[in-house]
Amino acid sequence: MGKHTAHLVWDWNGTLLDDIHTIIEATNASFAEIGLASITLERYRELYCVPVPLFYERLMGRLPTDDEWAVMDAVFHKHYWQRADACVLTAGAAELLAERQEAGRTQSLLSLAPHEQLIPIVRRHGIEARFVRVDGRIGASHTGKTEHMVRHLAALEGVPPERIVVVGDAVDDAVAAAHVGAKAVLYTGGSHSRASLESAGVPVVDSLAEAVTVAEELA
C-alpha cells in the first residue's frame, strides 16, 4: 500500500450487494407471516437501525421479547435467503474493486450476514479475490457491527486504524468505525435515508465511486 492510501473495509448488504429491494420483499413476506403490517422502502429507510431489534421496537412501540426476536429473525432470513441468489452487485462495484486491487490498494469485506452464507455468495459474484480478508457475522444476530469490526481489524495485520475507511450503508458502520479509530463514508443506496445517515456526522455519498474518492481524501 502507498503511504497515504486508504484500506477500505466494505460492507456487503446494501453497499456492494444491491439487495435493498430484496430486503423489502423479504421483510414484507416475514411481516405477513408474523402479523405485522407491510412497509414501504421509504418508511423502512426512516426506521431501520442496528441492532435490528431496535428497528422492531420502532415498528411495534416496544422491544420484542427474546422469543419473539428469535422468530422474527428466523422468518426474515428464511425469506431473504430464498431470494438472495437473484441479487446483483451494485452498479460499478466489480469494476471499482478490480481497479483498486490492480492499483495495489487493499480492501476487505466485513458483513453482518452469517459468515457461512456470506462466503459462498461472494464467491458466486466472482469478487472474493479482490479482498485481503472476508468476514461475516459469527454468533448472535441481535448485536451491531462493533465487536465484529474489532475482530476484523485485529486480523488485518499491519494496517493502522487511521488508514482504514469503512464504506457502508448504515449508521452502525460509522459507529463501528469510530469505535476502532477508523473513518467512515456512508452510501445512500441501501438501508437508511440520507437524513438518517447524515446524523452519523460522516461523509454521505450517492455512489460507490464517490465513496472511494472521498475515502482516499479522508486517508
Side-chain angles (χ1 to χ4, degrees):
M1 288 195 311
K3 184 177 179 181
H4 301 293
T5 299
H7 172 92
L8 299 189
V9 176
W10 291 96
D11 174 55
W12 179 241
N13 300 101
T15 304
L16 290 176
L17 188 68
D18 183 14
D19 67 347
I20 185 60
H21 294 288
T22 299
I23 287 172
I24 297 301
E25 289 178 11
T27 296
N28 282 328
S30 67
F31 281 7
E33 193 167 328
I34 63 178
L36 293 176
S38 62
I39 192 169
T40 64
L41 172 60
E42 292 71 24
R43 183 66 171 155
Y44 182 92
R45 282 175 163 163
E46 289 174 4
L47 296 180
Y48 185 75
C49 58
V50 178
V52 182
L54 298 180
F55 167 60
Y56 283 90
E57 180 182 31
R58 293 177 175 185
L59 282 168
M60 300 164 55
R62 63 173 179 82
L63 271 174
T65 66
D66 289 345
D67 288 344
E68 287 173 331
W69 166 244
V71 172
M72 291 168 170
D73 189 47
V75 171
F76 168 77
H77 282 99
K78 177 187 70 174
H79 288 289
Y80 176 81
W81 289 107
Q82 287 172 354
R83 296 163 169 81
D85 285 346
C87 298
V88 299
L89 295 179
T90 299
E95 293 80 5
L96 282 169
L97 295 172
E99 288 168 6
R100 284 187 57 81
Q101 184 187 38
E102 290 162 7
R105 297 177 176 181
T106 61
Q107 53 206 341
S108 56
L109 176 58
L110 176 62
S111 173
L112 288 179
H115 186 76
E116 68 276 9
Q117 290 171 294
L118 175 68
I119 297 300
I121 196 169
V122 171
R123 286 176 180 162
R124 282 200 297 274
H125 285 286
I127 58 172
E128 183 183 20
R130 303 301 183 195
F131 306 107
V132 297
R133 185 172 184 86
V134 177
D135 283 319
R137 172 175 54 80
I138 296 173
S141 61
H142 64 279
T143 60
K145 188 173 276 187
T146 295
E147 63 185 80
H148 304 287
M149 186 68 70
V150 171
R151 174 173 53 88
H152 186 71
L153 264 59
L156 294 175
E157 297 178 1
V159 184
E162 61 270 19
R163 295 257 304 285
I164 291 173
V165 182
V166 177
V167 180
D169 71 316
V171 171
D172 187 56
D173 291 301
V175 171
H179 181 79
V180 296
K183 301 177 180 68
V185 179
L186 299 181
Y187 165 60
T188 59
S191 60
H192 281 36
S193 67
R194 173 176 277 277
S196 294
L197 295 178
E198 288 175 344
S199 71
V202 302
V204 176
V205 299
D206 296 316
S207 73
L208 297 188
E210 187 182 359
V212 170
T213 298
V214 172
E216 291 294 350
E217 292 171 353
L218 290 175

